[in-house]
């Protein structure tokens, strides 16, 4: 199964992608996670990406496209994958389409998760992530048992540097300008499936499953 999760920052793409990964035993490919790791490891990729990410803008297409092209050719993606945060521009979508066509593969579904901006701001300003296993928490709606500590693996929780209100507003504007046009792009291809991302994480997951199985 080859899926794309589409939606604004904070819509729940990462949360749902992790659940899909467990359910179907296929990898979650999060360009955001890959880029953040590169930044924290100080790699060449990280150096290219850091300024764009800190500012809430998009990393240049050629950087992420090359990264994804390599990734989807890896053995672990042979049975499928979940793209979380890619593509984010029409150019990225076109390049992905060309790469898959050359591999004689297709995307099965593009799941578009819609959430209103007020809710997104609340979710992102309160988000805390585990520095080790990537589990996600929220200060108010999903607090860990012990403040600042992951319930699953005991490692420290951190707040993303782009999860402050000013950068969130910039990310939302970038989403509207650059990424939202992908909805029409995939609608025309016949594989866009939209759901409203309000409700519990498990309720949303049931809706996602109903759309892909
Ligand atoms: P990226 O890491 O992809 O960030 P994003 O798209 O802004 O999305 P988020 O990870 O913030 O949100 P999400 O939808 O995954 O929500 P989550 O599940 O975490 O990208 C970061 C940056 O990297 C970009 O700004 C850009 O610079 C660069 N980049 C990445 N990909 C790129 C690309 N392709 N091209 C160019 N640049 C790229 O949930 C959010 C919170 O809500 C959590 O606290 C969670 O617990 C909570 N939550 C989830 N579901 C629910 C629910 N149903 N109800 C209540 N709370 C919920």
């Amino acid at each position: 199964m080859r899926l794309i999760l589409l939606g604004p920052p904070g819509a729940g793409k990462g949360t749902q992608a992790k659940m899909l990964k467990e359910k179907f035993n296929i990898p979650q490919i999060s360009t955001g996670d890959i880029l953040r790791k590169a930044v924290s490891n100080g790699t060449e990729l990280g150096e290219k990406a850091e300024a764009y990410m800190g500012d809430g803008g998009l990393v240049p297409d050629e950087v992420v496209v090359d990264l994804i092209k390599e990734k989807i050719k890896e053995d672990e993606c042979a049975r499928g994958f979940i793209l979380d945060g890619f593509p984010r521009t029409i150019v990225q979508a076109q390049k992905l389409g060309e790469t898959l066509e050359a591999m004689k593969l297709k995307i099965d579904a593009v799941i578009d998760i819609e959430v209103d901006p007020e809710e997104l701001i609340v979710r992102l300003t309160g988000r805390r992530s585990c520095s080790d296993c990537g589990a996600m928490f929220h200060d108010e709606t999903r607090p860990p048992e012990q403040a600042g500590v992951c319930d699953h693996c005991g490692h420290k929780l951190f707040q993303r540097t782009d999860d402050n209100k000013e950068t969130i507003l910039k990310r939302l504007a970038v989403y509207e300008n650059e990424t939202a046009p992908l909805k029409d792009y995939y609608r025309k291809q016949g594989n866009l499936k939209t759901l409203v991302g309000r409700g519990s994480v498990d309720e949303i997951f049931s809706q996602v499953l109903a759309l892909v199985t």
Side-chain angles (χ1 to χ4, degrees), residues 127-197:
R127 172 168 58 183
R128 299 292 180 271
S129 314
C130 177
S131 51
D132 193 62
C133 73
M136 257 172 304
F137 299 87
H138 190 280
D139 273 353
E140 284 160 27
T141 56
R142 212 176 178 185
E145 280 171 23
Q146 189 186 338
V149 178
C150 178
D151 289 351
H152 307 289
C153 70
H155 283 82
K156 262 177 84 171
L157 302 182
F158 72 99
Q159 182 173 31
R160 276 172 43 176
T161 51
D162 58 352
D163 277 350
N164 61 78
K165 192 157 177 201
E166 189 188 343
T167 314
I168 292 167
L169 291 175
K170 171 89 186 283
R171 287 159 63 200
L172 291 174
V174 169
Y175 173 79
E176 280 310 320
N177 291 331
E178 306 277 341
T179 309
L182 288 177
K183 290 188 250 178
D184 260 351
Y185 180 87
Y186 284 116
R187 192 176 289 119
K188 283 180 190 147
Q189 295 191 4
N191 47 10
L192 186 80
K193 297 172 190 289
T194 299
L195 62 87
V196 175

Side-chain angles (χ1 to χ4, degrees), residues 7-16 30-33 35-36 49 52-54 56-61 64 68 84-89 92 119 123-124 126-129 136-138 141-142 160 162-163 171 197-202 204:
K13 304 181 294 295
T15 303
Q16 297 299 324
S30 159
T31 37
D33 286 348
L35 293 169
R36 271 185 293 281
Y52 300 99
M53 295 175 80
L58 293 182
V59 174
D61 287 334
V64 277
I68 289 293
D84 160 16
F86 182 94
R88 258 176 149 96
T89 64
Q92 291 181 18
E119 165 79 6
R123 286 187 187 184
L124 292 176
R127 172 168 58 183
R128 299 292 180 271
S129 314
M136 257 172 304
F137 299 87
H138 190 280
T141 56
R142 212 176 178 185
R160 276 172 43 176
D162 58 352
D163 277 350
R171 287 159 63 200
R198 297 233 25 192
S200 74
V201 165
D202 289 337
I204 307 299

Side-chain angles (χ1 to χ4, degrees), residues 1-2 26-27 72-81 105:
M1 182 184 294
R2 293 173 193 83
I26 51 176
I72 61 181
K73 287 177 188 159
E74 289 178 3
D75 287 349
E76 67 160 355
C77 292
R79 288 182 50 252
F81 49 77
L105 297 175

